[in-house]
């Protein structure tokens, strides 16, 4: 899933960047008006971003600007917040890029699975 997505970006001429901070990377999306931010999880790498404090507020800004957010299969704004330390993966960007993330990565590697939350 995620390797296929990265391979697609590389073969399509995307410039990959990683600053180590979500805010600078998302700022690039808003300033340039294109691109995608993905912080995916895997069996080895658990989610780092907190839904309440990091993911949902930025999702609100992205979606108000005409983009989309996803935690794998639904908008980050539709995720039920059940605690202050719930962590999740996220993708922000254009509708097409986020749809590609959902199709190729989705919530296959979310831990704990959404049904457990």
């Amino acid at each position: 899933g995620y390797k296929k997505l990265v391979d697609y970006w590389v073969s399509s001429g995307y410039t990959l960047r990683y600053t180590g901070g979500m805010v600078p990377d998302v700022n690039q999306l808003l300033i340039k008006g294109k691109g995608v931010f993905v912080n995916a999880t895997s069996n080895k790498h658990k989610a780092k971003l907190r839904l309440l404090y990091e993911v949902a507020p930025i999702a609100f800004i992205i979606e108000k600007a005409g983009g989309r957010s996803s935690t794998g299969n639904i908008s980050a704004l539709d995720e039920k917040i059940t605690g202050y330390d719930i962590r999740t993966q996220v993708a922000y960007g254009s509708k097409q890029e986020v749809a590609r993330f959902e199709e190729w990565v989705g919530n296959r590697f979310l831990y704990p699975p959404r049904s457990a939350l």
Side-chain angles (χ1 to χ4, degrees):
Y2 190 62
K3 181 180 179 337
K4 180 179 176 182
L5 191 58
V6 172
D7 289 344
Y8 169 81
W9 292 331
V10 170
S11 68
S12 298
Y14 284 56
T15 301
L16 303 180
R17 65 179 263 134
Y18 177 76
T19 64
M22 177 180 61
V23 172
D25 290 341
V26 170
N27 182 60
Q28 283 290 111
L29 291 176
L30 294 170
I31 298 299
K32 293 190 176 241
K34 61 182 178 179
V36 62
F37 171 87
V38 173
N39 187 290
T41 61
S42 71
N43 293 332
K44 293 181 181 180
H45 300 94
K46 306 303 181 223
K48 295 179 184 177
L49 299 174
R50 295 169 298 171
L51 180 60
L52 178 62
Y53 302 113
E54 296 158 326
V55 174
I58 298 295
F60 181 79
I61 293 167
I62 291 292
E63 292 192 16
K64 287 298 178 186
R68 240 186 109 211
S69 71
S70 176
T71 58
N73 61 349
I74 64 171
S75 165
L77 297 178
D78 293 333
E79 284 286 353
K80 184 176 181 183
I81 297 174
T82 58
Y84 65 88
D85 198 38
I86 300 299
R87 295 169 189 260
T88 187
Q89 68 179 1
V90 69
Y92 303 122
S94 70
K95 292 174 181 162
Q96 300 87 349
E97 290 298 337
V98 173
R100 186 174 291 116
F101 168 80
E102 288 177 330
E103 179 183 342
W104 292 356
V105 177
N107 59 7
R108 288 180 192 85
F109 302 109
L110 280 182
Y111 182 82
R114 284 286 180 244
S115 59
L117 298 178

